[in-house]
Amino acid sequence: MNTRRISRDGTALLHRLREPAPPRPEQCAFCGRDLPAGHRHLVDIEDRALACTCTACGLLFQQPAAAGGRYRTVPDRYLADPERELDQQAWSELGIPVGTAFLFRNTVLDQPLAFYPGPAGATESELDEQAWQRALGGSRLADALEPDVEALLLRRTEERVTCFLVPIDVCYELVGRLRRCWHGFDGGAEARAELDAFFARLAARARPLPAEVTV
């Protein structure tokens, strides 16, 4: 018996057992098919949750009457309005207690909501309709926003208030990224660097809001 070969093979096996298993690919919530990175999502209106979907299933739910209207396809548009940026007064009207938030309209609750990323995920807060109108009543981005499936992603710095219209799943991607690197009370340097990089990518991808927007 070649004990050296057995020992070598056994050591290799132990190394493989110690290594973490490769992550399983996400699967379509409807047909179970494995999904690639960057796949599309649907919003479950009733459960207020995201559902992963393959291209074929996603196309089925683009029909307005599909599943009684329970699911809505998340769009893939990224928009900015450089001609009308939000100011510090609008931020104060919204009453946002942190430096980053995303806002959207929920059709089930029939009101606007705000979510604040943090170490435990996203903290939900109901927004007063009057505050929304005072802060965003003249915003073309807010007017173009599709309820449930798109959000206004905002960040306040000392220089400005940045606002993008983005797919709602992008906001939850940011929540997950910040949760993994958050340290201390305000997130720390790593979280700030993640925010800088994330908003830089949004700025590169976002297109100016067209003169005529189809909602």
Side-chain angles (χ1 to χ4, degrees), residues 25-72:
E26 292 187 277
Q27 296 179 317
C28 177
F30 306 96
C31 71
R33 180 180 302 171
D34 287 348
L35 298 173
H39 56 267
R40 301 292 296 274
H41 293 95
L42 302 177
V43 171
D44 183 333
I45 304 298
E46 294 183 9
D47 289 343
R48 297 172 59 193
L50 289 174
C52 300
T53 181
C54 66
T55 301
C57 292
L59 289 174
L60 291 176
F61 288 103
Q62 286 184 349
Q63 304 302 320
R70 174 172 176 172
Y71 297 97
R72 292 192 61 196

Side-chain angles (χ1 to χ4, degrees), residues 162-183:
T162 304
C163 178
F164 295 105
L165 185 153
V166 299
I168 191 70
D169 52 4
V170 169
C171 299
Y172 289 107
E173 177 190 346
L174 175 60
V175 169
R177 287 176 177 272
L178 291 179
R179 187 175 183 179
R180 288 194 295 270
C181 65
W182 194 281
H183 299 287

Side-chain angles (χ1 to χ4, degrees), residues 172-214:
Y172 289 107
E173 177 190 346
L174 175 60
V175 169
R177 287 176 177 272
L178 291 179
R179 187 175 183 179
R180 288 194 295 270
C181 65
W182 194 281
H183 299 287
F185 176 75
D186 63 352
E190 190 175 353
R192 289 191 292 274
E194 181 64 55
L195 273 172
D196 290 342
F198 197 89
F199 273 80
R201 290 193 296 271
L202 290 182
R205 184 166 185 176
R207 297 293 176 261
L209 188 69
E212 297 294 332
V213 180
T214 302

Side-chain angles (χ1 to χ4, degrees), residues 39-122:
H39 56 267
R40 301 292 296 274
H41 293 95
L42 302 177
V43 171
D44 183 333
I45 304 298
E46 294 183 9
D47 289 343
R48 297 172 59 193
L50 289 174
C52 300
T53 181
C54 66
T55 301
C57 292
L59 289 174
L60 291 176
F61 288 103
Q62 286 184 349
Q63 304 302 320
R70 174 172 176 172
Y71 297 97
R72 292 192 61 196
T73 303
V74 177
D76 59 356
R77 61 179 184 167
Y78 295 72
L79 298 174
D81 188 4
E83 296 183 1
R84 190 191 185 284
E85 296 184 348
L86 296 183
D87 55 21
Q88 299 291 343
Q89 178 62 33
W91 186 273
S92 298
E93 291 285 1
L94 290 169
I96 298 173
V98 293
T100 305
F102 61 95
L103 322 175
F104 68 95
R105 285 192 171 276
N106 181 278
T107 55
V108 173
L109 299 178
D110 192 26
Q111 71 174 80
L113 299 175
F115 285 79
Y116 314 133

